[in-house]
Amino acid sequence: MIFDPERLNYRQGEIFDDLVEEYALSDFTGEDILKAGNVLIIDIGDGTIDFAVTNKGIRVPNQNRSILNGVGISAENAIDALRQKYPVIAPMDRQTFIKIANKNQGPNDKESKVYKSFLDEQTSNLERQIIEQVRDFHRALHGQIGMIVLCGGGANVLKNHFHDRFKGVIQNLFPFNAPYILWVRKKYAQTLNLDGLVVRAKVMK
């Protein structure tokens, strides 16, 4: 996120476009991440959520943890809860379940609404766990967090449901200078780790 793997200078452009628009910034580059102080990174995956704090690109000791939950587990829990209430519903994979939940064919589409209600309940549970962890980091770091980054494949799944609520929580936690919140776009979710390795390999040559 900080360095462009091709040019080995500070990354800029599209990866930060949403951030620039949301906070009405003139621009934003990878250098601004280095200058942000403590950066809380939340990597939301299918089965785990990993939290880590970095400062100037270096991990802060003893400020990292994981929770055994993720968007995939939430979907599986939603399917289990749905089938417990409606035993006639056959087993299904999460892709099928999510497709039905998001179908939304109008006010008479009861099936879609019921599926989505079960998915939203489990998603809200996952979001509560994320907020609890953020509060813990806020206490441990005495409120000194300059930026929050949400990344991983699950970040994009949660964004529509969680963006406004999460931003509100952060603004309440930080009454003076709330940190910027960067939601990493889906197209970068699978490439950031590789980009980091490429940068490191080039620098070590």
Side-chain angles (χ1 to χ4, degrees):
M1 245 182 328
I2 295 173
F3 295 107
D4 186 320
E6 298 299 323
R7 300 178 182 84
L8 285 186
N9 58 6
Y10 292 116
R11 192 191 284 269
Q12 52 191 324
E14 185 184 5
I15 191 170
F16 302 124
D17 282 354
D18 293 341
L19 182 76
V20 168
E21 180 180 350
E22 181 163 357
Y23 294 98
L25 305 174
S26 56
D27 70 344
F28 192 93
T29 73
E31 184 177 16
D32 293 304
I33 298 176
L34 286 181
K35 293 178 177 178
N38 291 324
V39 177
L40 174 59
I41 300 167
I42 306 172
D43 185 353
I44 304 170
D46 206 45
T48 62
I49 302 178
D50 300 309
F51 301 81
V53 178
T54 64
N55 192 305
K56 297 181 180 178
I58 299 171
R59 182 168 287 195
V60 176
N62 303 316
Q63 294 299 329
N64 55 84
R65 67 190 72 156
S66 297
I67 58 176
L68 295 176
N69 202 349
V71 293
I73 291 176
S74 291
E76 295 287 354
N77 290 341
I79 293 169
D80 290 344
L82 173 72
R83 294 192 63 241
Q84 282 180 18
K85 185 165 184 179
Y86 301 98
V88 295
I89 294 176
M92 69 186 78
D93 58 46
R94 22 180 138 139
Q95 289 77 18
T96 301
F97 172 78
I98 291 172
K99 184 177 179 180
I100 296 170
N102 293 327
K103 188 171 54 173
N104 191 16
Q105 293 182 335
N108 295 322
D109 186 0
K110 184 177 179 181
E111 180 184 52
S112 178
K113 287 181 180 179
V114 170
Y115 277 54
K116 192 169 190 311
S117 70
F118 280 89
L119 180 60
D120 286 348
E121 182 178 352
Q122 293 301 324
T123 301
S124 294
N125 289 337
L126 180 63
E127 292 165 0
R128 276 194 291 273
Q129 288 183 281
I130 293 172
I131 289 170
E132 287 172 8
Q133 293 296 325
V134 171
R135 291 185 192 278
D136 284 347
F137 280 105
H138 177 269
R139 283 191 292 270
L141 296 166
H142 308 289
Q144 300 306 297
I145 298 174
M147 186 170 180
I148 299 174
V149 177
L150 295 101
C151 57
N156 294 280
V157 175
L158 286 187
K159 185 176 180 181
N160 287 341
H161 193 265
F162 193 31
H163 176 279
D164 293 346
R165 180 184 174 209
F166 186 69
K167 188 174 182 180
V169 168
I170 296 306
Q171 289 174 337
N172 287 333
L173 272 178
F174 298 85
F176 305 115
N177 295 301
Y180 292 144
I181 302 169
L182 171 64
W183 294 80
V184 177
R185 290 183 176 185
K186 183 178 181 180
K187 68 177 289 185
Y188 296 100
Q190 303 298 324
T191 61
L192 281 181
N193 287 341
L194 178 59
D195 287 349
L197 291 172
V198 170
V199 168
R200 183 172 290 276
K202 288 183 176 180
V203 168
M204 291 176 65
K205 280 186 178 180

